[in-house]
């Protein structure tokens, strides 16, 4: 098996379907014949709750504190999870003075790089030490976002943070793309996406994850969207996104970086 690609999924805001995307992209990649590891780096542990692994002993928090080794639990065939816990809330202060604090997650994932096709990291909804750890460990980042009027201002903040991490901590980090979620077929959403495509040419995914009650219900039933309703709009959207993701991630000659004027 080739070296896994490590993908961080996130946004500094909550409620933008990053956990939903991590879970369902992972499940869709498995359906494409890939072996996938999910890493729950969010103290809210929503991804772990979805897969009913939020009380597992060998979680990311204990691994970060060197109290245990990280253990990937097989939550579905060929889909594995390193779970989180609410205890991770205290990690920021506990790790503040630790030597090598920015590379803790990268070091934890090293033994698994040769065992999976993809490692997807669900990062916290904040520009925190945990988020930095996720980005330092990653090859690429997917930014999920709601197409709302203030999204451009927030995007500048995220991209500037990524630039700093790229220049100081992880020169290989790239933005794979910007994924609109909770999308509605209304003029305001279309106009916002047009503005994002104009400001950040080439970064916007073609896929749209539509606003779908089936995605909410699936998570409430501890299921992926493909288990809950494989014919729903949510399932169709994540199938489509997974195909675009694989094509974009594996294409040769992928452009590195973006023009600096994009964050002016």
């Amino acid at each position: 098996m080739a070296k896994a690609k490590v993908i961080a999924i996130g946004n500094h805001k909550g409620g933008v379907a990053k956990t939903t995307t991590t879970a369902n992209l992972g499940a869709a990649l498995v359906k494409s014949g890939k072996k996938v590891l999910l890493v729950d780096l969010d103290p809210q542990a929503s991804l772990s709750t979805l897969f009913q692994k939020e009380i597992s002993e060998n979680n990311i928090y204990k691994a970060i504190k060197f109290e245990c080794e990280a253990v990937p639990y097989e939550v579905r065939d060929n889909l594995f999870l390193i779970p989180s816990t609410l205890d991770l809330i205290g990690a920021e202060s506990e790790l503040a003075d630790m030597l090598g604090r920015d590379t803790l997650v990268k070091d934890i994932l090293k033994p698994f790089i040769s065992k999976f096709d993809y490692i997807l990291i669900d990062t916290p909804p904040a520009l925190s030490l945990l988020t930095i750890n996720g980005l330092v460990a990653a090859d690429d980042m997917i930014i999920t976002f709601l197409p709302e009027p203030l999204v451009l201002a927030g995007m500048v903040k995220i991209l500037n943070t990524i630039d700093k991490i790229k220049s100081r901590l992880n020169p290989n980090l790239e933005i794979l793309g910007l994924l609109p979620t909770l999308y509605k077929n209304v003029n305001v959403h279309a106009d916002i996406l047009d503005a994002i495509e104009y400001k950040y040419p080439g970064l916007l995914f073609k896929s749209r994850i539509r606003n779908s009650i089936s995605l909410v219900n699936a998570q409430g039933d501890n299921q992926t969207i493909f288990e809950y309703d494989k014919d729903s709009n949510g399932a169709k959207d994540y199938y489509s996104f997974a195909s675009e993701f694989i094509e974009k991630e594996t294409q040769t000659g992928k452009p590195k970086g973006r023009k600096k004027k994009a964050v002016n």
Side-chain angles (χ1 to χ4, degrees), residues 102-103 132 136 160-173:
D102 297 328
T103 62
I132 291 171
V136 169
N160 279 333
T161 298
I162 293 171
D163 278 341
K164 291 177 182 178
I165 291 173
K166 183 177 174 67
S167 64
R168 301 174 187 176
L169 298 169
N170 183 3
N172 297 318
L173 180 64

Side-chain angles (χ1 to χ4, degrees), residues 138-170:
D139 299 302
D140 295 313
M141 183 179 188
I142 294 170
I143 300 172
T144 61
F145 71 95
L146 272 57
E148 57 187 15
L150 298 179
V151 69
L152 282 170
M155 201 68 71
V156 170
K157 185 176 181 181
I158 299 170
L159 298 182
N160 279 333
T161 298
I162 293 171
D163 278 341
K164 291 177 182 178
I165 291 173
K166 183 177 174 67
S167 64
R168 301 174 187 176
L169 298 169
N170 183 3

Side-chain angles (χ1 to χ4, degrees), residues 121-138:
I121 304 175
D122 185 14
T123 61
L127 299 176
S128 64
L129 177 57
L130 291 171
T131 302
I132 291 171
N133 259 269
L135 295 179
V136 169

Side-chain angles (χ1 to χ4, degrees), residues 103-214:
T103 62
L104 292 168
V105 172
K106 181 177 181 179
D107 293 339
I108 288 170
L109 295 181
K110 282 181 180 178
F112 309 117
I113 294 295
S114 62
K115 299 178 181 179
F116 293 89
D117 295 300
Y118 291 102
I119 298 176
L120 308 181
I121 304 175
D122 185 14
T123 61
L127 299 176
S128 64
L129 177 57
L130 291 171
T131 302
I132 291 171
N133 259 269
L135 295 179
V136 169
D139 299 302
D140 295 313
M141 183 179 188
I142 294 170
I143 300 172
T144 61
F145 71 95
L146 272 57
E148 57 187 15
L150 298 179
V151 69
L152 282 170
M155 201 68 71
V156 170
K157 185 176 181 181
I158 299 170
L159 298 182
N160 279 333
T161 298
I162 293 171
D163 278 341
K164 291 177 182 178
I165 291 173
K166 183 177 174 67
S167 64
R168 301 174 187 176
L169 298 169
N170 183 3
N172 297 318
L173 180 64
E174 299 294 343
I175 301 170
L176 192 62
L178 313 176
L179 177 66
T181 60
L182 300 180
Y183 178 78
K184 296 179 181 178
N185 189 23
V186 293
N187 288 339
V188 64
H189 280 197
D191 290 345
I192 289 169
L193 295 190
D194 285 343
I196 289 175
E197 179 60 42
Y198 178 79
K199 188 170 181 63
Y200 306 112
L203 284 186
L204 186 66
F205 281 108
K206 296 177 183 177
S207 301
R208 309 285 183 261
I209 307 301
R210 285 170 286 182
N211 190 12
S212 170
I213 189 62
S214 62

Side-chain angles (χ1 to χ4, degrees), residues 19-37:
T19 298
T20 301
T21 296
T22 305
N24 290 304
L25 173 59
L29 290 173
V30 167
K31 288 182 174 294
S32 299
K34 307 300 181 182
K35 187 177 180 182
V36 180
L37 172 62

